[in-house]
Amino acid sequence: MTRLPIADIAAGRLTPAQLAHNFADVVPPLQRQAALVEANRCFFCYDAPCIKACPTGIDIPRFIRRIATEDQRGAADLILSANILGGSCARVCPTEVLCEGDCVRNKEGDTAIQIGALQRYATDWVYRDGVQLFARKPATGKRVAIVGAGPAGLACAHHLAREGHQIDVFDARAKAGGLNEYGIAAYKVPDFAQAEIEWLLGIGGITLHFEQALGSQLSIAQLSADFDAVFLGVGLGAVNALGVEGDSLDGVRNAVDFIAELRQCDDLSRLAIGRRVVVIGGGNTAVDAAVQSRRMGAEQVSLVYRRGPGSMTATVAEQDFAKAEGVNVIHWAKPHRLLADDGQLTAIEFEYTCADAAGRLKSSGEFFSLPADSVLKAIGQTFDASDLIANLNAGDGPTLHLRDGRINVDEEYRTSLAGVWAGGDCVLGHMDLTVQAVEDGKRAAASMHCYLSAKEL
Ligand code: SF4
């Protein structure tokens, strides 16, 4: 019998110079001449479909026209007024399925306008030069608590701070930024998330508090008593389990934890990586984990998804990028069990799947295995509100309504609790994208400002 490979997880597979190269900006910024040429390709469409495809409704033709006329300040103002995290979104948005996907030039024989790259060109100078485009109104004396310093919370904070309210933002982690700081591949946002936050805080009136988790250090009841309004932008805290034999073996971990560790590591040559990595999942987190494993020096990286490519939530561009990076993408297979030798992960066995006539996933009864010293699970995150909800909903008072496992909000992002709004990934019906979280925070802030304006001091 052939002996299975011995686990091999080690640091320093690549030199510091190779790692620096691999984790540099994956898409270099447009230079002035290229930006002007690209801006002048835009048709400046009336009733532009690209605007409708942007969750934050940025007036894309107008900002592109301002780039074309070299009014960079005007372009940045338009973008950041609609989307205060427009710098991050220019880097991480799946533009190929949003604005660029709907661009009228996105057709055979032509190419979509590079809207994301132009947005980055229009805004990068703002952070570089520390230019404040927005002014804070006189202090209102109203105080708002925001739980979660991710895109939704930060967008909400900035819009309310501009109105003159005093904002306290609480986050369970040691840094602000949420997904942008902890959950996205390092080569997409090198050294950017904190620079953007520093600029955003320049508006004034926003105080950040770290390592303050809802449920343990904070309670909604106390925040509601201490502040005039509360916004919950807590994101998703739990990861789905594989539910197969061997799930808890050493070497099996959540892809989001791997990405967060990598993002927070200041010396990648000291970060251990497997030689044979298997990533399970079909979303952007799976692709980010797989590509970063390759760029860390893993020799074999496979990404395995239970359905076909059309069902993956990672865009076609992301899937193609993973393949170009040497990731072996396998469709129609689901994990069956993890194999170990002396308690050490050595391989993962999969079962081929197929869909029946109604599209339901079926097992085939045929199996294959991949050698693995590291398995990264990227099979979806869920909103874990168990402690919070148990605590909050225990008494006779008002309850926070959930639906389908997420916070239920109305069209103004109001929860079932008076004076409490919510947005971002923790709310029902939310598209799990940074740009959607920003829009949630912005819309909630508009509603909260109306509420605060009518409230007596
Ligand atoms: Fe320009 Fe394309 Fe938008 Fe038309 S759809 S305004 S060409 S970016």
Side-chain angles (χ1 to χ4, degrees):
M1 182 181 142
T2 311
R3 188 173 166 77
L4 289 165
I6 296 167
D8 188 358
I9 301 177
R13 293 197 187 284
L14 300 179
T15 66
Q18 287 172 314
L19 290 166
H21 175 266
N22 287 353
F23 286 90
D25 222 337
V26 70
V27 182
L30 289 177
Q31 299 303 310
R32 176 176 166 272
Q33 197 56 36
L36 292 177
V37 168
E38 190 62 14
N40 279 293
R41 288 182 60 237
C42 179
F43 293 155
F44 309 113
C45 305
Y46 176 75
D47 206 18
C50 54
I51 302 177
K52 296 193 184 102
C54 173
T56 56
I58 295 173
D59 192 336
I60 292 164
R62 269 181 82 203
F63 95 68
I64 293 179
R65 191 184 287 281
R66 288 181 179 182
I67 291 174
T69 57
E70 302 219 51
D71 175 11
Q72 229 174 335
R73 186 183 182 99
D77 190 67
L78 264 180
I79 294 163
L80 297 169
S81 295
N83 179 343
I84 198 62
L85 295 182
S88 284
C89 291
R91 290 162 168 80
V92 305
C93 255
T95 50
E96 62 276 12
V97 294
L98 296 174
C99 54
E100 292 176 21
D102 279 15
C103 173
V104 297
R105 296 201 68 159
N106 183 26
K107 60 184 182 190
E108 192 146 349
D110 201 352
T111 53
I113 303 296
Q114 297 176 58
I115 299 168
L118 287 172
Q119 181 165 313
R120 177 172 173 181
Y121 173 78
T123 52
D124 266 1
W125 69 280
V126 170
Y127 317 107
R128 187 187 59 229
D129 298 348
V131 175
Q132 272 303 321
L133 298 173
F134 307 104
R136 178 165 147 81
K137 291 181 183 169
T140 62
K142 306 282 172 56
R143 298 177 63 231
V144 176
I146 292 182
V147 187
L154 290 172
C156 186
H158 191 271
H159 283 275
L160 289 171
R162 275 164 72 178
E163 297 295 347
H165 307 304
Q166 181 64 41
I167 316 299
D168 286 81
V169 183
F170 302 89
D171 198 278
R173 304 235 211 190
K175 281 186 186 173
L179 194 68
N180 288 350
E181 175 60 37
Y182 291 97
I184 286 174
Y187 49 75
K188 291 181 181 171
V189 282
D191 302 324
F192 183 70
Q194 293 307 311
E196 184 178 48
I197 291 166
E198 199 175 309
W199 172 82
L200 182 148
L201 295 176
I203 189 74
I206 303 173
T207 306
L208 299 179
H209 307 269
F210 298 116
E211 297 175 339
Q212 298 290 306
L214 202 52
S216 44
Q217 286 87 8
L218 305 171
S219 77
I220 295 181
Q222 193 59 50
L223 292 172
S224 294
D226 294 346
F227 292 85
D228 295 294
V230 176
F231 175 80
L232 305 175
V234 288
L236 304 176
V239 177
N240 291 324
L242 274 184
V244 300
E245 181 187 328
D247 197 353
S248 55
L249 282 170
D250 280 351
V252 181
R253 63 187 305 205
N254 296 323
V256 288
D257 296 335
F258 165 66
I259 294 171
E261 186 181 8
L262 194 152
R263 284 293 304 275
Q264 299 309 307
C265 181
D266 51 17
D267 181 0
L268 291 179
S269 66
R270 298 168 73 104
L271 186 69
I273 187 78
R275 194 181 288 279
R276 292 161 291 264
V277 178
V278 176
V279 182
I280 303 168
N284 287 335
T285 298
V287 170
D288 283 2
V291 173
Q292 290 192 115
S293 297
R294 280 288 294 158
R295 290 188 169 213
M296 283 293 297
E299 289 168 11
Q300 298 168 19
V301 179
S302 298
L303 188 157
V304 187
Y305 180 58
R306 64 200 168 111
R307 286 183 177 268
S311 300
M312 290 175 73
T313 55
T315 63
V316 172
E318 286 279 332
Q319 295 178 42
D320 289 346
F321 178 60
K323 289 178 199 162
E325 291 283 316
V327 174
N328 175 32
V329 181
I330 300 171
H331 298 109
W332 296 109
K334 65 175 185 179
H336 178 64
R337 62 176 173 149
L338 293 126
L339 305 174
D341 191 3
D342 286 339
Q344 184 66 58
L345 174 71
T346 53
I348 175 166
E349 193 170 88
F350 288 91
E351 181 175 13
Y352 284 112
T353 56
C354 55
D356 66 15
R360 288 183 296 255
L361 197 68
K362 283 178 58 182
S363 302
S364 69
E366 292 177 48
F367 299 87
F368 68 96
S369 66
L370 295 172
D373 35 44
S374 179
V375 168
L376 300 174
K377 300 179 288 182
I379 50 175
Q381 287 183 269
T382 54
F383 176 50
D384 180 9
S386 47
D387 290 346
L388 159 70
I389 301 307
N391 173 281
L392 187 76
N393 291 351
D396 296 332
T399 56
L400 182 65
H401 291 172
L402 299 186
R403 236 176 71 206
D404 296 337
R406 302 212 189 180
I407 299 174
N408 197 24
V409 293
D410 67 10
E411 67 286 352
E412 290 192 25
Y413 293 83
R414 289 176 294 220
T415 70
S416 55
L417 298 173
V420 180
W421 283 252
D425 294 352
C426 64
V427 304
L428 181 68
H430 176 97
M431 190 169 37
D432 294 346
L433 293 174
T434 298
V435 65
Q436 183 62 56
V438 172
E439 181 66 6
D440 288 0
K442 182 176 88 180
R443 288 197 195 192
S447 174
M448 293 168 81
H449 176 56
C450 286
Y451 169 85
L452 293 165
S453 301
K455 195 176 181 194
E456 298 285 329
L457 263 179

